Amino acid sequence: MAKELTGVEQGRRNYLKENKPHVYEKVMKFAEKAARNESIAIIQFQYDYTCNFRCQHCSVKRFQGKKEGRSFTLADVRDFCRQADELGLANFVITGGEPLVFPDFDQLVEAIDPQRFYIVSDTNGWLLDHAKAKHLKSIGVDKIQLSLDSLNAKEHDEFRRMPGSHERALRAIDASLEAGLNIILSTVVTHQRLHSDEFIEYLEFAKAKGVGTFVTYAKPVGSWEGKFDMLVTREDEDYMRNVLEKKYNVFTHLTPSYGLDLGCIAMKRMISVTKYGDVMPCPYIHVSIGNVFREPLKDIIDRGMNIKWFGKHVNTCLIAESRPFIDRYIVPTYSKELPVPMDQIFSDEDMIVK
């Protein structure tokens, strides 16, 4: 379902038209591709799991550590990005781990190719000072997604298990703005936090700074496996959509973007690619739809779009809100090596009959 572009989205589109014409051309085809039920996925790229923090909620905890098998080289990245470009995909999010500790971060950005993709980097902000922000801008990074989980320094530092991380995150906001980087804050929201005074104060702070806030709802995976008491409800999602999103520049993965209301964006507007080449429907559904080292990206995406939970419009965040989905498809992954092959999780009844 198409919707009118917001002022922020129109500004971003104008930026692409002027600075990244090839990316702009791909974005302008999003609506027709979505109408044909083709994926326009953001590629959330878990290039490496190395991290300088040990956050309480870490969703990739069980991916960390040594693992046998092939992992991405820069040559692999170039081939993967060629395939993504040919499919008309336009957005890359470099994540991990903590991207700014990667020794080959600059080479990674070059391999992705800033002229072919709009490039975002996740970060906890620890290393993002003014010099680093200017450098990131100079090599082609377009946007920073900065983790900030409380305005209270003690609470944030305890959540991130890194003393001083709150102070450095605040420094990173100003550094990014001064360098001309687009920046949004990323914050984890539980059912309890959503209705707190602290969260409203957080949104007021972001509004005063002139930066948007991306809310990632608590997920019962990674370090939070089995923690269901923190999950949001449908009523919580409605409160976010109908109240908070109307007052603040705050959004979730359910928020329409580029004029398109896609509901849950798993596979349609988001895929997550692991260090080892597995393609997952989103960063929190730890099921492998296929591996790019063994087959073309197009075949994997087509297969994922044929799973009804991802190929059809679903007006909720399945992994954050739907206990039936979580109990049937996520809990079984708790006892298995991640990511779990899709044939161990999904069956014929989960497929779209054509």
Side-chain angles (χ1 to χ4, degrees):
M1 182 186 299
K3 291 182 176 288
E4 186 177 348
L5 293 179
T6 66
V8 172
E9 288 173 328
Q10 187 59 58
R12 187 185 310 141
R13 189 165 289 189
N14 293 339
Y15 167 84
L16 292 176
K17 186 175 183 180
E18 181 176 349
N19 296 281
K20 297 192 171 189
H22 180 62
V23 180
Y24 174 78
E25 290 174 4
K26 290 191 286 187
V27 169
M28 292 303 292
K29 296 177 181 178
F30 276 2
E32 61 186 74
K33 287 172 68 69
R36 295 195 299 266
N37 207 39
E38 295 178 14
S39 175
I40 52 173
I42 298 167
I43 299 168
Q44 196 254 18
F45 190 28
Q46 300 173 0
Y47 178 67
D48 198 335
Y49 297 113
T50 303
C51 192
N52 55 345
F53 283 16
R54 294 292 180 268
C55 303
Q56 288 186 20
H57 71 306
C58 181
S59 64
V60 297
K61 180 180 179 181
R62 290 213 284 130
F63 287 84
Q64 294 176 324
K66 291 184 178 180
K67 178 179 177 180
E68 293 183 1
R70 180 176 175 182
S71 60
F72 270 98
T73 64
L74 292 174
D76 293 326
V77 173
R78 292 186 184 94
D79 182 68
F80 174 66
C81 291
R82 174 191 57 78
Q83 295 184 58
D85 183 44
E86 290 174 356
L87 291 174
L89 306 184
N91 305 78
F92 248 87
V93 178
I94 303 171
T95 190
E98 165 55 37
L100 297 190
V101 304
F102 300 166
D104 56 349
F105 182 88
D106 290 17
Q107 291 80 9
L108 175 60
V109 172
E110 181 183 20
I112 294 170
D113 190 350
Q115 288 308 307
R116 290 194 295 179
F117 296 96
Y118 185 84
I119 300 178
V120 181
S121 180
D122 283 342
T123 184
N124 55 40
W126 186 262
L127 297 174
L128 188 51
D129 59 14
H130 289 76
K132 175 66 77 171
K134 291 178 181 177
H135 176 71
L136 295 179
K137 178 72 173 179
S138 73
I139 64 173
V141 173
D142 298 289
K143 182 177 180 180
I144 293 297
Q145 185 163 298
L146 175 72
S147 296
L148 181 67
D149 285 295
S150 177
L151 287 186
N152 182 290
K154 183 175 183 293
E155 290 179 359
H156 174 88
D157 291 359
E158 288 179 350
F159 186 73
R160 294 284 163 179
R161 292 177 175 149
M162 180 61 79
S165 59
H166 184 268
E167 180 181 357
R168 292 207 183 195
L170 295 184
R171 178 193 65 179
I173 297 173
D174 293 335
S176 298
L177 291 171
E178 289 180 19
L181 285 165
N182 185 6
I183 180 172
I184 60 170
L185 303 181
S186 177
T187 196
V188 179
V189 172
T190 62
H191 166 72
Q192 293 81 3
R193 187 182 182 214
L194 180 64
H195 300 281
S196 69
D197 291 339
E198 179 273 330
F199 185 54
I200 297 301
E201 292 170 2
Y202 182 106
L203 295 179
E204 291 285 359
F205 166 80
K207 184 177 181 179
K209 280 286 186 182
V211 298
T213 299
F214 168 65
V215 163
T216 176
Y217 291 131
K219 315 292 196 308
V221 297
S223 297
W224 279 356
E225 281 189 0
K227 293 193 174 184
F228 305 124
D229 61 313
M230 297 182 290
L231 301 184
V232 296
T233 64
R234 289 288 182 105
E235 291 75 20
D236 291 337
E237 291 177 339
D238 289 342
Y239 171 62
M240 176 65 71
R241 272 188 290 247
N242 301 326
V243 178
L244 297 184
E245 289 186 20
K246 294 184 183 304
K247 187 173 182 179
Y248 301 101
N249 182 15
V250 58
F251 50 95
T252 72
H253 278 318
L254 294 172
T255 307
S257 65
Y258 288 101
L260 300 171
D261 183 359
L262 301 176
C264 172
I265 65 171
M267 294 304 307
K268 304 180 198 71
R269 181 68 179 129
M270 168 72 76
I271 59 173
S272 188
V273 181
T274 74
K275 175 179 179 178
Y276 304 100
D278 288 293
V279 177
M280 304 184 297
C282 89
Y284 309 102
I285 299 175
H286 296 156
V287 178
S288 177
I289 307 300
N291 189 291
V292 296
F293 297 147
R294 294 194 286 269
E295 60 183 322
L297 178 61
K298 182 182 186 305
D299 293 351
I300 298 171
I301 289 178
D302 288 347
R303 183 182 304 125
M305 290 292 287
N306 195 45
I307 298 172
K308 65 183 181 182
W309 304 106
F310 314 131
K312 293 186 176 181
H313 191 282
V314 177
N315 195 33
T316 189
C317 180
L318 293 166
I319 183 63
E321 179 275 327
S322 175
R323 278 302 301 271
F325 182 88
I326 292 167
D327 290 342
R328 182 168 180 178
Y329 301 104
I330 304 304
V331 172
T333 69
Y334 289 175
S335 59
K336 299 178 183 290
E337 182 179 351
L338 301 180
V340 182
M342 64 171 285
D343 60 6
Q344 295 183 25
I345 300 297
F346 298 111
S347 64
D348 289 345
E349 67 181 42
D350 295 305
M351 302 301 154
I352 297 172
V353 179
K354 298 182 178 179

